[in-house]
C-alpha cells in the first residue's frame, strides 16, 4: 500500500514538473504573457536563447547579462549589425587621429577636415548600432521611432554646431543646404539603394500601403511648408524694401517652423497611440520575413547599461568631430572649388546619415521592406518636420536670422524628388530598376551642385 502511494506521488511530481517545463516553454514566446501556476505565482519568462527576461524588456532584446562587461561589449560592438557595419568599424583609428591633429596641427586645415569627416563615420555607426540594440528591448513601434530619432542625433548635433559657429550669417547657406540635402539623401540615395539591394535577390518586394501613404502624404505637407517662405519672398519681393522683406520672410519662417513642429507631434502620436496596433502588426509580420532572423536572435546583445554607455561615448565623439569639422568649412569653401551648396547638399548629409542608411539597406537586403521604409521615411520626416523647425527656433533664440527661404534651385529639387519617390511608392512594390533610377537622380544632383557657384 505504501509502495502504491509512493508511485502515485512520484507520478504526480513528474506531471507537475512537466507542466512547469511546458509553462516555461510557452512563456518564451514574444507574444504571450507569463502563465501563473495553481498557487497564483508567476513563472519567469525565458527568451529564445534561454535567458531570463527582465521585467520591461522585450524578449528579443534580452542579453542575459547586467551591467557592463568591457570585453563582451567590444566584441559585440565590433561585430555590429551587418557585415557592412563591421567593416566600417575598421575606421575607428581615425577617431583619435582626428582629435590629435586638430590640437597638434591647427594650421593643417585640409587634414583636420578630412580626418574628422572620416572619423564621424564609425562614431555615427556606433550610434546606429547602439540605438538598434536599445530598440530591440522596446515594443516594435516605439523601438523604430527611438532608433530613427537616435540615428538623427548626428544631424541635430551638426545643425546645432553650425548655428553656434555661425558668424555674420556665413554658414546659413550651408545649414539650409544641409536640411534639404538630408531629405534628398534619404529619399533618393538611401531609398534607392534599399530598392536596388533588395531587388538583387528578388524580382520584387512588397510593402504595406499604410506605411508609404502616410509617409508620402506627410512629405508633401513638409515640402509645401518648406517652400512657402521662398514663394512668399518672390511674390512680394518687388513691393518692399530689402530689410522689410527679410524681416517678413523671417517671421513667416518662424511661424512655419512652429506649425511643422506641431505636425511632427501629431505624426508621432498617430504612430504611437491611435494607430499603434496597425503599425505593430505590420512590423511584426515584416520581422517574420527576415531572412537572417534566426541568426540575429541568437547573437549576443548589449545590456541596457552598455547601450546607454555606447550612445554617450558615440555622441561625445560625434560632437567633437562636428565642431572640428564645422570650424574648417569656411576655409575649405574659400580655398577650394567646393561650393557651399555642394558642402551642405551632398558632403554633410552623407556623413550624418551614414548609420541610418546602413541600417535601412541591411533591412531591405533581408526582405524587411516595411522596416526599411519606416526608417527612411521616418528619418526624412524628422528632418523635414522636426530638425528644420529646431534649427529655426534655436536660431531665433540665439538671435540669428535663420529662415526657410531656400533658393529656387533647391525648392525645385525638393518638390521633384518628393513627387518622383511618391510615384515609386504608389503601387506598394519595388524593384532594382526603381532603385537604380533614384540613385541616378541623386548623382545628377551631386554633379550639378558641385559646379554650383558660391
Amino acid at each position: 500500500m505504501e509502495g502504491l502511494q509512493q508511485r502515485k506521488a512520484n507520478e504526480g511530481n513528474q506531471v507537475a514538473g512537466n507542466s512547469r517545463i511546458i509553462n516555461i516553454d510557452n512563456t518564451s514566446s514574444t507574444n504571450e504573457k507569463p502563465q501563473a501556476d495553481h498557487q497564483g505565482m508567476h513563472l519567469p519568462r525565458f527568451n529564445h536563447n534561454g535567458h531570463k527576461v527582465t521585467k520591461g524588456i522585450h524578449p528579443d532584446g534580452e542579453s542575459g547579462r547586467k551591467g557592463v562587461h568591457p570585453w563582451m561589449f567590444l566584441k559585440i560592438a565590433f561585430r555590429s549589425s551587418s557585415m557592412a557595419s563591421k567593416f566600417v568599424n575598421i575606421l575607428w583609428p581615425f577617431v583619435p587621429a582626428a582629435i590629435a591633429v586638430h590640437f597638434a596641427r591647427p594650421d593643417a586645415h585640409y587634414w583636420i577636415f578630412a580626418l574628422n569627416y572620416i572619423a564621424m563615420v564609425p562614431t555615427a555607426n556606433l550610434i546606429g548600432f547602439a540605438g538598434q540594440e536599445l530598440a530591440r528591448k522596446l515594443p516594435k513601434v516605439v523601438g523604430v521611432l527611438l532608433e530613427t530619432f537616435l540615428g538623427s542625433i548626428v544631424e541635430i548635433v551638426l545643425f546645432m554646431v553650425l548655428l553656434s559657429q555661425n558668424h555674420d550669417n556665413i554658414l546659413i547657406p550651408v545649414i539650409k543646404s544641409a536640411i534639404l540635402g538630408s531629405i534628398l539623401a534619404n529619399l533618393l540615395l538611401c531609398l534607392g539603394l534599399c530598392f536596388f539591394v533588395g531587388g538583387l535577390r528578388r524580382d520584387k518586394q512588397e510593402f504595406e500601403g499604410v506605411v508609404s501613404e502616410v509617409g508620402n502624404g506627410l512629405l508633401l505637407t513638409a515640402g509645401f511648408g518648406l517652400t512657402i517662405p521662398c514663394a512668399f519672398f518672390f511674390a512680394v519681393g518687388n513691393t518692399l524694401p530689402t530689410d522689410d522683406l527679410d524681416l517678413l520672410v523671417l517671421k513667416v519662417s518662424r511661424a512655419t517652423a512652429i506649425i511643422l513642429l506641431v505636425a511632427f507631434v501629431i505624426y508621432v502620436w498617430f504612430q504611437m497611440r491611435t494607430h499603434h496596433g496597425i503599425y505593430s502588426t505590420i512590423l511584426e509580420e515584416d520581422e517574420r520575413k527576415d531572412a537572417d532572423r534566426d541568426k540575429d536572435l541568437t547573437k549576443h546583445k548589449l545590456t541596457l547599461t552598455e547601450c546607454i554607455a555606447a550612445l554617450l561615448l558615440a555622441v561625445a565623439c560625434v560632437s567633437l568631430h562636428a565642431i572640428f569639422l564645422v570650424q574648417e568649412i569656411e576655409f575649405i569653401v574659400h580655398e577650394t572649388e567646393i561650393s557651399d551648396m555642394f558642402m551642405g547638399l551632398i558632403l554633410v548629409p552623407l556623413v550624418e546619415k551614414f548609420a541610418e542608411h546602413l541600417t535601412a539597406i541591411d533591412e531591405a537586403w533581408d526582405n524587411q521592406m516595411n522596416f526599411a521604409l519606416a526608417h527612411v521615411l521616418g528619418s526624412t520626416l524628422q528632418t523635414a518636420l522636426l530638425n528644420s523647425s529646431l534649427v529655426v527656433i534655436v536660431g531665433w533664440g540665439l538671435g540669428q536670422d535663420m529662415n526657410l527661404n531656400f533658393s529656387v534651385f533647391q525648392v525645385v529639387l525638393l518638390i521633384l524628388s518628393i513627387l518622383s519617390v511618391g510615384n515609386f511608392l504608389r503601387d506598394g512594390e519595388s524593384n532594382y530598376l526603381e532603385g537604380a533610377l533614384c540613385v541616378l537622380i541623386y548623382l545628377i544632383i551631386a554633379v550639378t551642385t558641385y559646379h554650383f557657384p558660391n
Side-chain angles (χ1 to χ4, degrees):
M1 192 67 177
E2 291 180 357
L4 180 60
Q5 291 177 348
Q6 182 66 34
R7 284 198 302 273
K8 288 182 178 179
N10 291 338
E11 290 174 359
N13 291 336
Q14 183 176 1
V15 171
N18 290 338
S19 66
R20 282 193 293 270
I21 293 173
I22 294 172
N23 203 358
I24 292 173
D25 289 341
N26 286 340
T27 57
S28 66
S29 172
T30 60
N31 297 322
E32 295 183 8
K33 297 181 179 179
Q35 304 291 328
D37 62 15
H38 65 280
Q39 295 179 344
M41 299 295 292
H42 290 281
L43 293 175
R45 300 175 69 194
F46 294 88
N47 68 358
H48 36 272
N49 290 327
H51 297 146
K52 181 180 177 181
V53 179
T54 306
K55 184 178 180 181
I57 299 295
H58 195 280
D60 288 358
E62 178 59 58
S63 64
R65 301 180 293 115
K66 292 184 178 180
V68 178
H69 303 260
W71 176 246
M72 182 63 71
F73 170 77
L74 292 175
K75 181 180 177 180
I76 296 173
F78 180 77
R79 181 207 70 204
S80 198
S81 58
S82 64
M83 188 59 68
S85 297
K86 185 176 180 179
F87 283 128
V88 166
N89 287 326
I90 299 174
L91 300 176
W92 269 100
F94 283 90
V95 173
I99 297 174
V101 170
H102 171 79
F103 290 105
R105 292 289 307 276
D107 57 329
H109 301 288
Y110 294 107
W111 280 104
I112 294 173
F113 180 86
L115 288 174
N116 281 282
Y117 189 87
I118 297 173
M120 288 192 71
V121 175
T123 52
N125 184 55
L126 180 58
I127 291 178
F129 175 66
Q132 189 177 30
E133 288 288 295
L134 185 58
R136 288 179 184 272
K137 303 179 186 298
L138 303 171
K140 291 292 180 291
V141 178
V142 178
V144 170
L145 289 173
L146 177 64
E147 188 178 352
T148 302
F149 174 76
L150 291 175
S152 296
I153 284 288
V154 181
E155 179 176 272
I156 295 174
V157 169
L158 265 173
F159 285 171
M160 295 303 111
V161 171
L162 283 166
L163 271 178
S164 64
Q165 298 290 323
N166 179 49
H167 304 292
D168 300 325
N169 294 330
I170 292 177
L171 294 177
I172 293 294
V174 176
I175 299 173
K176 291 181 182 179
S177 298
I179 293 172
L180 292 189
S182 296
I183 297 174
L184 297 180
N186 275 323
L187 285 183
L188 297 176
L189 181 62
C190 183
L191 189 61
L193 288 175
C194 287
F195 287 171
F196 183 80
V197 169
L200 292 178
R201 302 178 71 179
R202 303 161 190 88
D203 291 335
K204 65 179 181 179
Q205 290 181 291
E206 298 179 351
F207 44 85
E208 293 293 334
V210 65
V211 178
S212 59
E213 288 174 8
V214 172
N216 194 39
L218 280 167
L219 279 176
L220 287 172
T221 303
F224 184 84
L226 292 175
T227 56
I228 286 299
C230 174
F232 177 82
F233 176 82
F234 283 98
V236 301
N238 296 326
T239 62
L240 294 172
T242 302
D243 293 340
D244 293 341
L245 179 61
D246 291 340
L247 181 60
L248 286 177
V249 170
L250 189 60
K251 290 180 179 179
V252 171
S253 298
R254 289 169 177 173
T256 301
I258 295 173
I259 295 171
L260 290 178
L261 197 59
V262 172
F264 180 77
V265 173
I266 296 174
Y267 163 65
V268 173
W269 181 263
F270 179 85
Q271 281 196 313
M272 291 187 63
R273 300 295 298 178
T274 60
H275 290 68
H276 175 275
I278 298 176
Y279 283 94
S280 182
T281 302
I282 291 172
L283 295 180
E284 286 179 1
E285 182 65 28
D286 213 44
E287 204 168 46
R288 297 188 187 99
K289 299 178 183 178
D290 186 1
D292 298 330
R293 177 166 172 75
D294 294 337
K295 182 179 178 181
D296 289 338
L297 289 176
T298 56
K299 286 181 179 178
H300 294 292
K301 299 173 180 63
L302 296 179
T303 65
L304 180 62
T305 307
E306 289 171 343
C307 289
I308 296 174
L311 286 171
L312 292 176
L313 172 65
V315 169
C317 291
V318 161
S319 300
L320 281 177
H321 296 313
I323 293 172
F324 302 157
L325 185 73
V326 169
Q327 289 175 349
E328 305 301 328
I329 286 180
E330 185 177 351
F331 177 87
I332 296 297
V333 169
H334 288 167
E335 299 298 326
T336 66
E337 296 181 355
I338 297 177
S339 64
D340 50 11
M341 178 78 78
F342 185 77
M343 177 68 71
L345 207 64
I346 303 298
L347 290 183
V348 172
L350 281 180
V351 71
E352 73 186 25
K353 292 291 186 182
F354 189 83
E356 292 176 90
H357 291 182
L358 280 183
T359 300
I361 293 169
D362 181 58
E363 289 166 342
W365 176 258
D366 292 335
N367 199 28
Q368 293 182 283
M369 278 307 298
N370 289 306
F371 266 104
L373 271 180
H375 279 116
V376 173
L377 296 180
S379 176
T380 306
L381 289 171
Q382 180 169 328
T383 299
L385 299 176
L386 176 64
N387 297 354
S388 62
S389 302
L390 286 179
V391 171
V392 174
I393 294 172
V394 172
W396 187 2
L398 295 175
Q400 299 194 24
D401 297 337
M402 178 64 207
N403 59 49
L404 297 176
N405 183 21
F406 301 100
S407 68
V408 175
F409 174 72
Q410 293 172 328
V411 168
V412 170
L413 292 181
L414 175 64
I415 298 302
L416 290 181
S417 298
I418 292 175
L419 293 177
S420 298
V421 170
N423 185 60
F424 290 142
L425 295 176
R426 186 180 303 166
D427 59 354
E429 297 177 353
S430 65
N431 52 60
Y432 71 87
L433 174 61
E434 295 176 344
L437 293 177
C438 287
V439 175
L440 291 175
I441 293 173
Y442 187 80
L443 292 177
I444 294 173
I445 294 173
V447 172
T448 306
T449 52
Y450 180 79
H451 296 284
F452 208 90
N454 283 321

